[in-house]
Short mmCIF file of all heavy atoms in Angstrom, two decimals:
data_model
loop_
_atom_site.label_atom_id
_atom_site.label_comp_id
_atom_site.label_asym_id
_atom_site.label_seq_id
_atom_site.Cartn_x
_atom_site.Cartn_y
_atom_site.Cartn_z
N ILE A 363 -46.33 96.79 21.17
CA ILE A 363 -46.26 97.86 22.28
C ILE A 363 -44.97 98.55 22.14
O ILE A 363 -44.80 99.72 22.44
CB ILE A 363 -46.45 97.20 23.59
CG1 ILE A 363 -47.92 96.84 23.77
CG2 ILE A 363 -45.92 98.08 24.74
CD1 ILE A 363 -48.81 98.02 23.85
N PHE A 364 -43.86 97.86 21.71
CA PHE A 364 -42.47 98.52 21.59
C PHE A 364 -42.49 99.43 20.28
O PHE A 364 -41.35 100.09 19.99
CB PHE A 364 -41.36 97.50 21.32
CG PHE A 364 -41.08 96.80 22.58
CD1 PHE A 364 -40.23 95.66 22.61
CD2 PHE A 364 -41.62 97.21 23.95
CE1 PHE A 364 -39.88 95.02 23.86
CE2 PHE A 364 -41.31 96.62 25.09
CZ PHE A 364 -40.34 95.50 24.98
N PRO A 405 -49.64 94.01 19.49
CA PRO A 405 -49.59 93.02 20.68
C PRO A 405 -48.58 93.50 21.65
O PRO A 405 -47.63 94.20 21.40
CB PRO A 405 -49.12 91.83 19.91
CG PRO A 405 -49.63 92.07 18.43
CD PRO A 405 -49.25 93.52 18.33
N ARG A 406 -48.66 92.85 22.75
CA ARG A 406 -47.68 92.83 23.81
C ARG A 406 -46.84 91.63 23.67
O ARG A 406 -46.93 90.94 22.68
CB ARG A 406 -48.24 93.10 25.25
CG ARG A 406 -49.16 91.95 25.68
CD ARG A 406 -49.89 92.26 27.04
NE ARG A 406 -50.89 91.17 27.33
CZ ARG A 406 -51.59 91.25 28.40
NH1 ARG A 406 -51.46 92.22 29.23
NH2 ARG A 406 -52.40 90.31 28.56
N ALA A 407 -46.07 91.27 24.55
CA ALA A 407 -45.25 90.05 24.63
C ALA A 407 -46.14 88.81 24.22
O ALA A 407 -47.21 88.67 24.92
CB ALA A 407 -44.49 89.79 26.00
N THR A 408 -45.72 88.04 23.24
CA THR A 408 -46.48 86.84 22.89
C THR A 408 -45.56 85.63 22.82
O THR A 408 -44.41 85.70 22.51
CB THR A 408 -47.08 87.16 21.50
OG1 THR A 408 -47.78 88.41 21.45
CG2 THR A 408 -48.04 86.16 21.12
N ARG A 409 -46.08 84.55 23.22
CA ARG A 409 -45.38 83.28 23.29
C ARG A 409 -45.33 82.55 21.97
O ARG A 409 -46.03 81.87 21.64
CB ARG A 409 -46.05 82.37 24.25
CG ARG A 409 -46.07 82.92 25.69
CD ARG A 409 -46.44 81.79 26.79
NE ARG A 409 -47.76 81.37 26.72
CZ ARG A 409 -48.81 81.92 27.29
NH1 ARG A 409 -48.59 82.87 28.01
NH2 ARG A 409 -49.93 81.31 27.23
N ASN A 413 -39.27 84.53 20.03
CA ASN A 413 -38.51 84.89 21.21
C ASN A 413 -37.42 83.91 21.53
O ASN A 413 -37.67 82.64 21.36
CB ASN A 413 -39.43 84.82 22.54
CG ASN A 413 -40.50 85.91 22.50
OD1 ASN A 413 -40.22 87.05 21.93
ND2 ASN A 413 -41.83 85.50 22.73
N VAL A 417 -34.95 85.85 26.15
CA VAL A 417 -36.08 86.84 26.23
C VAL A 417 -37.31 86.20 27.14
O VAL A 417 -37.93 86.79 27.91
CB VAL A 417 -36.71 86.98 24.94
CG1 VAL A 417 -38.16 87.85 24.95
CG2 VAL A 417 -35.71 87.92 24.10
N THR A 418 -37.59 84.83 26.77
CA THR A 418 -38.55 84.16 27.61
C THR A 418 -38.29 84.09 29.18
O THR A 418 -39.02 84.43 29.88
CB THR A 418 -38.61 82.72 27.12
OG1 THR A 418 -39.14 82.73 25.68
CG2 THR A 418 -39.75 81.93 27.91
N MET A 420 -36.20 86.28 30.63
CA MET A 420 -36.28 87.56 31.28
C MET A 420 -37.66 87.99 31.42
O MET A 420 -38.06 88.59 32.53
CB MET A 420 -35.66 88.66 30.20
CG MET A 420 -35.72 90.15 30.65
SD MET A 420 -35.07 91.09 29.31
CE MET A 420 -36.39 91.01 27.99
N ASN A 421 -38.57 87.61 30.54
CA ASN A 421 -40.01 88.00 30.72
C ASN A 421 -40.70 87.34 32.00
O ASN A 421 -41.33 87.98 32.81
CB ASN A 421 -40.84 87.62 29.59
CG ASN A 421 -40.70 88.48 28.32
OD1 ASN A 421 -40.19 89.70 28.43
ND2 ASN A 421 -40.96 88.01 27.20
N GLN A 422 -40.19 86.22 32.28
CA GLN A 422 -40.56 85.49 33.49
C GLN A 422 -40.17 86.11 34.71
O GLN A 422 -40.85 86.30 35.73
CB GLN A 422 -40.13 83.90 33.32
CG GLN A 422 -40.80 83.18 32.29
CD GLN A 422 -40.29 81.74 32.20
OE1 GLN A 422 -39.16 81.42 32.87
NE2 GLN A 422 -41.15 80.95 31.40
N GLU A 423 -38.89 86.60 34.79
CA GLU A 423 -38.32 87.16 35.96
C GLU A 423 -38.89 88.53 36.06
O GLU A 423 -39.02 88.98 37.36
CB GLU A 423 -36.85 87.27 35.75
CG GLU A 423 -36.03 87.82 37.09
CD GLU A 423 -34.60 87.45 37.23
OE1 GLU A 423 -34.17 86.65 36.37
OE2 GLU A 423 -34.13 88.00 38.11
N LEU A 424 -39.10 89.27 35.03
CA LEU A 424 -39.70 90.62 35.11
C LEU A 424 -41.30 90.48 35.36
O LEU A 424 -41.89 91.55 35.39
CB LEU A 424 -39.46 91.49 34.05
CG LEU A 424 -37.85 91.80 33.68
CD1 LEU A 424 -37.73 92.57 32.34
CD2 LEU A 424 -37.46 92.61 34.99
N LYS A 425 -41.77 89.35 35.35
CA LYS A 425 -43.29 89.06 35.51
C LYS A 425 -43.98 89.80 34.30
O LYS A 425 -45.14 90.35 34.70
CB LYS A 425 -43.75 89.49 36.88
CG LYS A 425 -43.10 88.68 37.94
CD LYS A 425 -43.68 89.12 39.40
CE LYS A 425 -43.29 88.18 40.46
NZ LYS A 425 -41.82 88.00 40.62
N THR A 426 -43.45 89.72 33.09
CA THR A 426 -44.11 90.31 31.88
C THR A 426 -45.14 89.44 31.43
O THR A 426 -44.90 88.13 31.14
CB THR A 426 -43.07 90.55 30.81
OG1 THR A 426 -42.04 91.43 31.38
CG2 THR A 426 -43.71 91.03 29.68
N ILE A 427 -46.43 89.83 31.28
CA ILE A 427 -47.41 88.87 30.85
C ILE A 427 -47.29 88.64 29.33
O ILE A 427 -47.02 89.65 28.46
CB ILE A 427 -48.92 89.61 31.03
CG1 ILE A 427 -49.03 89.82 32.49
CG2 ILE A 427 -50.02 88.78 30.43
CD1 ILE A 427 -50.32 90.68 32.80
N SER A 428 -47.30 87.46 28.96
CA SER A 428 -47.25 87.03 27.54
C SER A 428 -48.33 86.17 27.13
O SER A 428 -48.82 85.45 27.72
CB SER A 428 -46.02 85.91 27.49
OG SER A 428 -44.62 86.73 27.74
N ASP A 429 -48.86 86.71 26.00
CA ASP A 429 -50.18 86.27 25.33
C ASP A 429 -49.86 85.05 24.58
O ASP A 429 -48.75 84.88 23.96
CB ASP A 429 -51.01 87.31 24.64
CG ASP A 429 -51.41 88.40 25.47
OD1 ASP A 429 -51.87 88.13 26.73
OD2 ASP A 429 -51.25 89.62 25.15
N THR A 430 -50.88 84.22 24.33
CA THR A 430 -50.87 83.21 23.38
C THR A 430 -51.17 83.76 21.96
O THR A 430 -51.93 84.73 21.90
CB THR A 430 -51.83 82.11 23.53
OG1 THR A 430 -53.17 82.59 23.48
CG2 THR A 430 -51.71 81.48 25.00
N TYR A 433 -54.87 84.16 21.47
CA TYR A 433 -55.36 85.32 22.05
C TYR A 433 -55.35 86.61 21.14
O TYR A 433 -56.27 87.37 20.97
CB TYR A 433 -54.89 85.57 23.39
CG TYR A 433 -55.28 86.86 24.17
CD1 TYR A 433 -56.61 86.92 24.69
CD2 TYR A 433 -54.57 87.87 24.01
CE1 TYR A 433 -57.05 88.16 25.20
CE2 TYR A 433 -54.93 89.15 24.57
CZ TYR A 433 -56.22 89.15 25.12
OH TYR A 433 -56.61 90.44 25.74
N VAL A 434 -54.09 86.72 20.68
CA VAL A 434 -53.73 87.94 19.81
C VAL A 434 -54.58 87.82 18.49
O VAL A 434 -55.17 88.97 18.11
CB VAL A 434 -52.24 87.87 19.49
CG1 VAL A 434 -52.05 89.00 18.36
CG2 VAL A 434 -51.40 88.10 20.71
N LEU A 451 -52.66 95.83 23.00
CA LEU A 451 -53.05 94.86 23.87
C LEU A 451 -52.44 95.04 25.21
O LEU A 451 -51.23 95.34 25.36
CB LEU A 451 -52.73 93.50 23.34
CG LEU A 451 -53.28 93.17 21.97
CD1 LEU A 451 -53.16 91.65 21.68
CD2 LEU A 451 -54.96 93.36 22.10
N GLY A 452 -53.40 94.77 26.43
CA GLY A 452 -52.87 94.82 27.73
C GLY A 452 -53.14 96.28 28.33
O GLY A 452 -52.56 97.25 27.85
N ALA A 453 -53.98 96.30 29.39
CA ALA A 453 -54.16 97.45 30.01
C ALA A 453 -52.96 98.09 30.80
O ALA A 453 -52.79 99.17 30.65
CB ALA A 453 -55.32 97.16 31.28
N LYS A 454 -52.27 97.22 31.52
CA LYS A 454 -50.90 97.70 32.04
C LYS A 454 -50.03 98.30 31.07
O LYS A 454 -49.46 99.42 31.33
CB LYS A 454 -50.38 96.50 32.86
CG LYS A 454 -49.02 96.91 33.55
CD LYS A 454 -48.36 95.75 34.29
CE LYS A 454 -47.10 96.10 34.82
NZ LYS A 454 -46.46 94.92 35.52
N GLU A 455 -49.89 97.61 29.94
CA GLU A 455 -48.95 98.14 28.85
C GLU A 455 -49.50 99.44 28.19
O GLU A 455 -48.76 100.36 27.98
CB GLU A 455 -48.72 97.13 27.80
CG GLU A 455 -48.03 95.83 28.19
CD GLU A 455 -48.87 94.91 29.06
OE1 GLU A 455 -50.01 95.06 29.25
OE2 GLU A 455 -48.19 93.78 29.60
N GLN A 476 -35.22 98.05 36.24
CA GLN A 476 -35.23 96.67 35.69
C GLN A 476 -33.96 96.48 34.85
O GLN A 476 -33.75 95.33 34.60
CB GLN A 476 -36.37 96.61 34.70
CG GLN A 476 -37.80 96.67 35.28
CD GLN A 476 -38.92 96.74 34.22
OE1 GLN A 476 -38.65 97.15 32.95
NE2 GLN A 476 -40.04 96.13 34.42
#
Side-chain angles (χ1 to χ4, degrees):
I363 286 294
F364 283 173
R406 58 184 173 181
T408 307
R409 297 194 291 274
N413 296 320
V417 170
T418 300
M420 179 185 69
N421 285 341
Q422 291 172 347
E423 182 158 355
L424 294 177
K425 295 181 171 56
T426 300
I427 297 173
S428 295
D429 295 320
T430 65
Y433 172 79
V434 174
L451 295 189
K454 179 181 176 182
E455 290 78 5
Q476 295 177 326

